[in-house]
Amino acid sequence: MKTGAKLLVESLQREGVETIFGYPGGAVLPIYDELYDAPIRHILVRHEQAAAHAADGYARASGRVGVCLATSGPGACNLVTGIATAYMDSVPLVAITGQVPTFMLGNDAFQESDITGITMPITKHNYLVKRAADLGQVVKDAFYIAGTGRPGPVLVDIPKDVMTTQLEAEPPIGRAKLRGYQPTYEGHALQIEKAVSLIGEAERPLLYVGGGVIASGASEDVRRLAELMLIPVATTLMGLGTVPCDHPLNLGMIGMHGTEAANYAVTECDLLIAVGVRFDDRVTGKIDAFAPNARIIHIDIDPAEIGKNKPVDIPIVGDAGKVLQSIIRRLIKKEGRETWLARVRHWKEEQTVRDGDDGLSPAYIIREMSDLLGDHGIVVSEVGQNQMWAAQHYCFRRPRTWISSGGLGTMGYGFPAAIGAHFARPDETVVDVAGDGSFQMNIQELGTVVQYKVPVKVVVLNNMYLGMVRQWQELFYDRRYSYTELPAVDFVGIARAYGVDGIRVEEREEVRPALEAAFTTDGPFVLDFRIEREANVFPMVPAGAAINEMIGRRQA
Amino acid sequence: MKLHTIHILVENRAGVLSRISGLFSRRGFNIESLAVGTCEEAGMSRMTIVVLGDDAQIEQVKKQLNKLIDVIKVSDITDQSTVARELALIKVAAEPGDTRAGVMQIANIFRAKIIDVGAKTVILEVTGDSEKIDALETLLRQYGIKEFVRTGKIALLRGQKGIKSMK
Ligand SMILES: Cc1cc2nc3c(=O)[nH]c(=O)nc-3n(C[C@H](O)[C@H](O)[C@H](O)COP(=O)(O)OP(=O)(O)OC[C@H]3O[C@@H](n4cnc5c(N)ncnc54)[C@H](O)[C@@H]3O)c2cc1C
Ligand SMILES: Cc1ncc(C[n+]2csc(CCOP(=O)(O)OP(=O)(O)O)c2C)c(N)n1
Ligand SMILES: [Mg+2]
């Protein structure tokens, strides 16, 4: 005899789960009772949203499925933003929620909410488990769905009586096998042949790579293809770290706040090799003017992404790594390509757009941080200007060292995601690059980092503004700063009250020593950088403009 | 833009209908009609959906439907050889006398059955393709249509060909 709750916890162990982020309540008491002496570590957060983001950060840092747990009703609803964030960025997550007992379902019972209904459009799949005997197979299938193909969140909702049901015999659990779910990993041979000949013929090829390459573990394959055929590489926000920032073929980030080199290259290229990217509007700008002269090869594991926003010439459904390897095997090394590479190099060197480098500039802070951390850091970000500055100025050299909410752009994501990243990769220094607005959206997690001694460093780029929104108001709304100013907050004081150390920095000379102090401290640390208040993120492509129409050119 | 008929084979699980209708509304696809019911394969249902869109939109519809875990197979049968039927029930104002005779005559031409006769109304049952039902509705309007219900279209491929769960 064993209860549904026990079966659940054993099923999680069978999936290799070591860490869960959660928050208890009435409807999950039986699960918490099982967790009390189970060999699974449970991290008690201070808000369920943070549990979902922490599980997401854990997943992105490790490539494994992250797990979060919440009670019914308000607990489950608090997970929603975190689940949507993971869904938009294709992050493997299993969210477990308690539910009112089956016989009360649909009765507006205490703390009942239809969480499977609510999360239907923001999960890859979800389950309401009505029989304890099904729990084992559901958990198996949930992890399989979350972690394979195009990864994504799966929610498992469990009524309380299902947790307490005594099972006579444990039903056998088969391999996850779902008739309606069979991801394609190998690319179509004929399409691969066509891609090979296009790559052979191209004069001005460009690789455009993103989150799918990181998910696939195909960074090395991208670099090999680039070096073999002398193809410059532009990465999306989600693809940073695929190719080392200082690699000669790396053009940096493409898109609205991308580099001139990447945005000009995509406009002039005659072949665009898109790998694990989804032609997001933040990347393409005006879609007709994106890669206007190019034939397009698109490699993606999700057939629905191919041709969704832009027609392509060679669609290849499959895993980025597997497909790239088949392509590389058939190619012969390219020599020369001087004209195109010289043109690209020219854009890189002549980059006219520079961030103001004097005073307490965010660019300077991020570059110092990058210099100090070298290859021992994972950078997580909040959302807004802070996120773009981190993306632009930090030198990423390895995959899974940049963790950021791209698709949903969730303020408050970074701090809890950094906590999750720490538990996945305790050997790395994890830094949350934050804005003053975003940090305050989940600042309560200072309690969590103190309780579990999580040595996460928070670098607040404090401009006392909702800076990214203010920037749009400055540029497009005649400087009418409607409700975007935030009064000064003493972040160091708040941190201290929780028991976390911190330093406020107001002078350029203090930047490096302060960062050093934070990185050499064993525990968590908060740095409150009072940056130039109206610094902007440049270059910038205004919404709806062509991707090579960048504004904000300031000479260095 | 044209009407497409999409045939879907789904696992007969709780919530599958709301997954599908939710997908349509979320992605802004235009459903004209939807009919669903169990079928010859145990644990499965067949759905026939009529949706309006251009080729690119219909391509997205199919791909997005295929991503649903409970969906086993999606086929666009618009340009295939099919038999397709709808059923409608029409309650028409028809006082005994000339009016009622007129209604019965129209019913006859359309091979519609009179399935209920009231003091002042009759109910017609008609099956056929959408155009036939539209035509009948138009003709009956002069008498006064009190209530009108129709199922969505259901369809099968003609002959040996079929849509089966082997994916
Ligand atoms: C304030 C702000 C500004 C932004 N500015 C920019 C900007 O300037 N530039 C920019 O790039 N982004 C920017 N973004 C992010 C942007 O909104 C998108 O999130 C991002 O561009 C999407 O990245 P991606 O195309 O790599 O796709 P992702 O969202 O990472 O999706 C991954 C793709 O890879 C596929 N995939 C998954 N696994 C595999 C596999 N194993 N093999 C093959 N394919 C796979 C998926 O199906 C999907 O199509 C910004 C976001 C914010 C909040
Ligand atoms: C939850 C949420 N609410 C609102 C927004 C819209 N938004 C995008 S950036 C931004 C400002 C962020 O301010 P801050 O965290 O201080 O970062 P900064 O841009 O100043 O670096 C806002 C409000 C959002 N992305 N997420
Ligand atoms: Mg700010």
Side-chain angles (χ1 to χ4, degrees), chain B:
Chain B
M1 294 277 261
K2 72 170 196 182
L3 287 175
H4 286 251
T5 306
I6 314 273
H7 190 104
I8 317 175
L9 200 59
V10 299
E11 302 262 11
N12 202 357
R13 294 214 185 99
V16 63
L17 187 59
S18 51
R19 282 181 208 283
I20 289 178
S21 58
L23 178 76
F24 274 81
S25 64
R26 171 165 84 98
R27 298 217 173 245
F29 303 145
N30 299 308
I31 297 194
E32 288 288 315
S33 76
L34 184 156
V36 56
T38 52
C39 65
E40 80 290 349
E41 293 203 45
M44 299 233 232
S45 289
R46 288 185 187 275
M47 276 189 194
T48 312
I49 300 188
V50 179
V51 48
L52 181 68
D54 60 28
D55 289 349
Q57 285 166 327
I58 299 299
E59 190 64 21
Q60 262 300 301
V61 168
K62 286 196 292 178
K63 286 172 165 177
Q64 294 296 345
L65 282 169
N66 258 319
K67 281 170 67 170
L68 296 177
I69 309 288
D70 290 338
V71 168
I72 306 293
K73 191 159 179 134
V74 181
S75 328
D76 185 351
I77 57 172
T78 314
D79 297 326
Q80 304 215 41
S81 172
T82 58
V83 280
R85 289 290 181 273
E86 269 184 60
L87 179 137
L89 301 178
I90 312 171
K91 188 186 286 178
V92 194
E95 302 263 358
D98 283 355
T99 331
R100 189 164 288 187
V103 170
M104 310 253 287
Q105 200 182 355
I106 292 173
N108 245 331
I109 298 168
F110 279 81
R111 294 178 207 280
K113 280 193 275 180
I114 308 283
I115 52 171
D116 181 64
V117 179
K120 296 182 174 170
T121 57
V122 295
I123 298 179
L124 276 62
E125 174 197 310
V126 60
T127 60
D129 58 24
S130 313
E131 290 76 38
K132 174 175 165 186
I133 291 170
D134 290 344
L136 177 60
E137 188 207 347
T138 313
L139 273 179
L140 290 174
R141 222 176 270 151
Q142 52 178 313
Y143 300 100
I145 292 178
K146 295 292 178 197
E147 281 175 286
F148 177 57
V149 285
R150 68 201 281 180
T151 63
K153 169 164 144 183
I154 55 173
L156 284 181
L157 295 181
R158 283 181 187 275
Q160 286 286 84
K161 274 202 283 177
I163 296 164
K164 293 283 179 189
S165 63
M166 298 303 293
K167 220 179 177 177

Side-chain angles (χ1 to χ4, degrees), chain A residues 304-327:
Chain A
E305 285 304 335
I306 300 185
K308 184 179 81 175
N309 296 338
K310 176 122 188 141
V312 306
D313 299 273
I314 316 266
I316 308 182
V317 178
D319 171 65
K322 288 205 154 67
V323 173
L324 285 175
Q325 285 156 22
S326 328
I327 289 177

Side-chain angles (χ1 to χ4, degrees), chain A residues 70-324:
Chain A
T71 191
S72 68
C77 287
N78 273 346
L79 292 178
V80 167
T81 305
I83 294 172
T85 303
Y87 182 72
M88 288 295 277
D89 288 342
S90 308
V91 176
L93 200 75
V94 168
I96 298 165
T97 48
Q99 182 56 279
V100 302
T102 46
F103 58 88
M104 289 191 193
L105 278 171
N107 263 335
D108 305 314
F110 176 64
Q111 296 198 325
E112 175 178 8
S113 63
D114 173 15
I115 198 65
T116 46
I118 291 170
T119 57
M120 219 170 250
I122 53 165
T123 49
K124 190 169 168 185
H125 195 54
N126 62 23
Y127 294 91
L128 169 59
V129 186
K130 289 192 176 163
R131 290 172 357 139
D134 295 341
L135 264 171
Q137 190 67 46
V138 165
V139 168
K140 172 112 249 154
D141 293 352
F143 275 79
Y144 177 66
I145 292 170
T148 57
R150 178 180 186 167
V154 176
L155 179 129
V156 181
D157 195 26
I158 311 174
K160 194 172 180 182
D161 56 334
V162 172
M163 300 172 196
T164 51
T165 301
Q166 295 281 350
L167 284 161
E168 298 291 334
E170 199 171 331
I173 299 166
R175 264 186 50 218
K177 199 154 168 280
L178 300 142
R179 274 192 296 191
Y181 177 68
Q182 280 145 21
T184 308
Y185 293 100
E186 300 290 344
H188 192 281
L190 195 69
Q191 298 298 88
I192 287 177
E193 282 307 331
K194 286 193 204 158
V196 166
S197 58
L198 274 195
I199 295 172
E201 290 160 17
E203 286 175 12
R204 300 183 307 279
L206 177 70
L207 271 156
Y208 152 41
V209 304
V213 168
I214 309 271
S216 162
S219 301
E220 191 60 24
D221 304 307
V222 167
R223 221 203 58 223
R224 274 174 53 217
L225 175 60
E227 288 172 354
L228 183 71
M229 301 309 285
L230 302 173
I231 307 174
V233 186
T235 66
T236 66
L237 181 76
M238 306 312 283
L240 291 174
T242 300
V243 173
C245 74
D246 41 10
H247 191 287
L249 288 167
N250 178 46
L251 304 186
M253 186 166 80
I254 190 169
M256 176 177 274
H257 293 295
T259 64
E260 288 183 297
N263 289 347
Y264 288 151
V266 74
T267 310
E268 288 197 11
C269 70
D270 67 351
L271 176 67
L272 187 67
I273 309 165
V275 192
V277 289
R278 54 186 179 82
F279 291 76
D280 185 85
D281 50 86
R282 289 273 148 140
V283 168
T284 62
K286 191 160 112 207
I287 192 81
D288 304 326
F290 184 70
N293 308 309
R295 295 214 265 180
I296 301 179
I297 300 170
H298 190 184
I299 303 167
D300 202 290
I301 203 158
D302 180 358
E305 285 304 335
I306 300 185
K308 184 179 81 175
N309 296 338
K310 176 122 188 141
V312 306
D313 299 273
I314 316 266
I316 308 182
V317 178
D319 171 65
K322 288 205 154 67
V323 173
L324 285 175

